[in-house]
Amino acid sequence: MTDQPFRPPNRDRRVAVALALGLLLLFGGVYAAGYFFTSDKVPRGTTVAGIDIGGLKPQAARRTLADELDTQRPIVVSASGKRHRIDPGSAGLSVDVAASVEQAGAGRSWDPARMWDFFAGGDDLDPVVHVDEPKLAAAVESFAKQVDRPAKEGSVTIVKGRASAHLPQTGSAVDIPAAASAVRAAYPSADEVVALTVRTLEPEITAAEVRAAMEEFANPAMSAPVILQIRGENVVLRPEAYSKAISLQNVDGTLTPTLDDKALLKAVGPAMKKVALAPRDASVRLVRGRPRVVPAKDGVTFRPKVITDRFLGLLVKHDQGRTLRLRGIVDHPDFTTAEARKLGVKQVVSSFTTSYPHADYRNTNLGRAAQLINGTVLKPGETFSLNDTVGERTAANGFTKGFIISDGVYKEDYGGGVSQVATTTFNAAFFAGLEDVEHKPHSFYIDRYPIGREATVAWGAVDLKFKNDTPYGILIQAGIRPSSPSTSGQMTVKMWSTKHWDISTSTSQRYDFTQPDTRHLDGDECVPNDGYGGFDIDVYRFFHKPGDKQVVRKETMHTTYTPSDTVVCS
């Protein structure tokens, strides 16, 4: 039998439960109080870019950041001794205020650690920055263009027979990716100048490479002439002559001698003319009024590729090593003496003369055109073109201004009177039996020309052409007897060949007459004219074998002459 007092068995258990419930309620109250006290607030001591937002509700924290954070202040950068201001907005930089506050831990939470952070203190945080990478890179590159300095390659130049060395220089360039990262890291609170990383750019061609190129090639190349020898004759090429053709080019980081083949041959050409003679074709000329065959002559040439292939090698040699011996090659003419004799240019097969009234411009223009035509040789099958032979009628070509027909009226222009040359030459070809390829009569009839058998020309528009369709060559002789104030001038064209045709001709009556109009013109260029009527006419050409009256072939040429209008100048 115990002597302990009697206690009910559940009393201690109830006390323990009550104590536990009390503690639970106590801690629950504290926890709930902590939740309500710390909820929706930024932890104490939290800063963003040095701005204190601790203990503030998110809305207030955002407002504080937005007010105090200077997001538009330019970022000052420097490189290679120069400074530049970068505008954040233009560079695509901006601060996300809401995200910056959110990262600090503001907002309701039952997490005890979150509640502890509130009382224990927050962190020093960087703002959340949004970056438009292309814009940021462009902003940095804009500054880089002002400070970047490309490396200067070492080089050797050769000018007028002198070689000059140009030593290399290093360059510098802003490291764009590193610079963009530095600018981004400094935003938005950069108080100091941001130094950008600058890379050194090394040239490919070093100073040692330049010195080697000078010693091994450039100086020897300019040290003495090169001699080209052909058939015992020497052609001396001095450095001044060929220096334009050689250069040293950067090839994979090495200064490499380079030859401009065309420039070298252009430099060689004038000197080689003394020993490399062009061939001369045979020709037929009038000597003392008679045709004479001028014999062809062989020329001497060389192979240009031999020079261009070996030239650079010559330049680094000395003394006799700088002489290139070329094998002379006989260059035959295209037209031989035998072929010239076969042309059969022996006698006058046709001749035609026209007269013209005195005018100084006619003497000048007809004489110049005759000079250019005289001596022309047409081989069988070749076509004569007056425009191609005489050329454009200009002062530089020896012509002067005179009267021409344009749009049916007279006006002044260079070459006035050359149509007289065309008419005379056309008739000489007509009676030589040559093929009429192209001819155009004057728009209205001029009575000093043979009716229906005349031609006019205009540069670039109207030509006189005929073809030598005979088996013999044709030598054209042309000349004038100048006019004087008291005498008319004469233009004569002769065709020298072997007689192939006898030509006879006849002319129809005039028909389909038309009447002139009257034009009233003004201006300094107006030339008055008394008009007369127009008409149609036909000319017939008959071909006979030499000495035979039988007609082998007949041709008809039809001409329509328009009226020559009366022109009244006001």
Side-chain angles (χ1 to χ4, degrees):
M1 178 176 221
T2 181
D3 57 359
Q4 294 293 329
F6 174 76
R7 292 179 181 176
N10 293 327
R11 182 178 180 183
D12 291 338
R13 185 179 300 150
R14 288 196 296 271
V15 172
V17 171
L19 181 60
L21 288 173
L23 290 172
L24 182 61
L25 290 173
L26 175 63
F27 282 110
V30 172
Y31 188 62
Y35 170 78
F36 286 106
F37 183 77
T38 64
S39 66
D40 206 20
K41 291 182 181 179
V42 177
R44 291 180 178 180
T46 297
T47 62
V48 175
I51 298 173
D52 186 7
I53 59 171
L56 299 178
K57 291 187 176 183
Q59 184 176 0
R62 289 194 293 271
R63 186 165 53 250
T64 299
L65 276 184
D67 291 343
E68 299 185 23
L69 199 60
D70 188 358
T71 60
Q72 297 303 314
R73 182 170 59 177
I75 302 167
V76 181
V77 298
S78 69
S80 300
K82 292 186 177 181
R83 292 189 176 188
H84 179 67
R85 292 174 178 269
I86 293 180
D87 175 61
S90 301
L93 296 171
S94 62
V95 173
D96 189 333
V97 173
S100 298
V101 171
E102 185 178 348
Q103 72 171 344
R108 296 181 181 275
S109 174
W110 290 101
D111 185 355
R114 162 70 180 81
M115 298 180 189
W116 175 254
D117 286 342
F118 177 82
F119 292 103
D123 297 322
D124 294 323
L125 303 173
D126 293 325
V128 175
V129 175
H130 289 319
V131 182
D132 185 323
E133 300 290 352
K135 285 187 175 181
L136 178 57
V140 174
E141 288 172 356
S142 176
F143 173 53
K145 289 178 180 178
Q146 303 175 35
V147 298
D148 285 354
R149 179 171 53 84
K152 184 178 180 180
E153 294 293 344
S155 64
V156 172
T157 57
I158 299 175
V159 180
K160 295 182 179 179
R162 294 176 60 89
S164 302
H166 306 277
L167 295 179
Q169 295 179 4
T170 59
S172 60
V174 173
D175 187 329
I176 301 300
S181 296
V183 171
R184 178 176 180 175
Y187 179 75
S189 57
D191 295 322
E192 302 293 334
V193 175
V194 180
L196 304 183
T197 302
V198 176
R199 297 182 291 107
T200 298
L201 303 178
E202 297 291 344
E204 277 192 314
I205 304 298
T206 65
E209 179 71 28
V210 172
R211 286 190 285 270
M214 287 290 292
E215 294 172 5
E216 297 171 9
F217 179 78
N219 286 335
M222 298 295 105
S223 64
V226 169
I227 297 175
L228 305 178
Q229 191 177 86
I230 181 170
R231 289 192 170 186
E233 296 285 341
N234 289 339
V235 174
V236 179
L237 293 178
R238 302 192 180 279
E240 295 86 348
Y242 60 74
S243 58
K244 286 185 178 181
I246 60 175
S247 60
L248 287 101
Q249 302 291 331
N250 182 350
V251 179
D252 298 328
T254 301
L255 285 177
T256 303
T258 304
L259 178 67
D260 183 333
D261 292 358
K262 290 184 178 180
L264 176 63
L265 294 177
K266 183 178 180 181
V268 168
M272 290 298 287
K273 284 182 179 179
K274 300 176 182 178
V275 293
L277 303 176
R280 185 182 69 190
D281 285 343
S283 62
V284 182
R285 298 178 186 172
L286 289 175
V287 179
R288 299 186 188 93
R290 299 297 301 172
R292 177 181 173 184
V293 172
V294 180
K297 188 175 181 180
D298 287 337
V300 179
T301 188
F302 59 94
R303 298 188 188 281
K305 195 171 187 303
V306 175
I307 298 178
T308 56
D309 284 350
R310 297 178 57 184
F311 196 77
L312 290 178
L314 295 172
L315 297 180
V316 296
K317 296 181 179 179
H318 304 283
D319 301 328
Q320 295 301 315
R322 298 176 75 87
T323 297
L324 176 60
R325 292 173 177 82
L326 299 170
R327 184 170 66 88
I329 302 171
V330 176
D331 191 3
H332 297 293
D334 294 328
F335 191 61
T336 67
T337 303
E339 290 172 325
R341 290 195 177 103
K342 287 181 181 179
L343 290 178
V345 178
K346 299 177 181 179
Q347 65 187 102
V348 175
V349 297
S350 71
S351 178
F352 201 81
T353 300
T354 58
S355 299
Y356 60 89
H358 174 65
D360 288 338
Y361 79 84
R362 287 194 177 98
N363 286 334
T364 298
N365 292 339
L366 272 68
R368 177 57 177 159
Q371 179 186 28
L372 294 168
I373 292 171
N374 189 50
T376 299
V377 175
L378 292 180
K379 298 171 187 174
E382 289 186 338
T383 297
F384 173 88
S385 163
L386 188 141
N387 279 340
D388 289 347
T389 304
V390 172
E392 186 173 2
R393 275 66 84 185
T394 63
N397 194 20
F399 291 90
T400 188
K401 284 188 175 182
F403 287 107
I404 66 169
I405 300 173
S406 177
D407 191 28
V409 297
Y410 288 101
K411 62 174 288 189
E412 276 195 308
D413 200 357
Y414 281 98
V418 172
S419 288
Q420 179 108 22
V421 179
T423 292
T424 310
T425 305
F426 170 74
N427 276 273
F430 178 91
F431 285 105
L434 304 183
E435 179 184 341
D436 178 16
V437 176
E438 176 186 344
H439 90 278
K440 181 182 183 299
H442 287 83
S443 55
F444 49 79
Y445 177 55
I446 300 173
D447 59 8
R448 69 174 180 273
Y449 296 148
I451 191 167
R453 287 200 329 267
E454 41 93 12
T456 186
V457 287
W459 177 256
V462 179
D463 201 359
L464 166 66
K465 293 181 180 181
F466 51 85
K467 181 178 180 180
N468 179 12
D469 57 347
T470 77
Y472 307 104
I474 300 287
L475 170 63
I476 304 176
Q477 180 184 6
I480 69 166
R481 189 189 70 188
S483 66
S484 70
S486 60
T487 61
S488 296
Q490 286 187 333
M491 169 84 190
T492 299
V493 176
K494 296 180 181 181
M495 301 287 177
W496 291 78
S497 185
T498 292
K499 196 73 168 177
H500 187 61
W501 295 112
D502 281 339
I503 300 295
S504 61
T505 185
S506 65
T507 305
S508 73
Q509 296 296 316
R510 304 180 188 187
Y511 60 95
D512 289 345
F513 294 93
T514 52
Q515 298 303 312
D517 290 331
T518 298
R519 300 194 207 182
H520 294 272
L521 304 177
D522 55 13
D524 295 338
E525 294 185 355
C526 179
V527 178
N529 181 57
D530 293 328
Y532 51 87
F535 56 90
D536 283 20
I537 197 166
D538 296 316
V539 172
Y540 309 102
R541 180 163 65 157
F542 305 100
F543 292 78
H544 313 261
K545 289 295 183 181
D548 192 343
K549 294 184 178 181
Q550 182 178 353
V551 175
V552 176
R553 188 168 82 242
K554 174 186 176 182
E555 291 180 350
T556 301
M557 292 190 304
H558 175 77
T559 302
T560 297
Y561 289 110
T562 61
S564 174
D565 291 339
T566 296
V567 176
V568 178
C569 297
S570 58

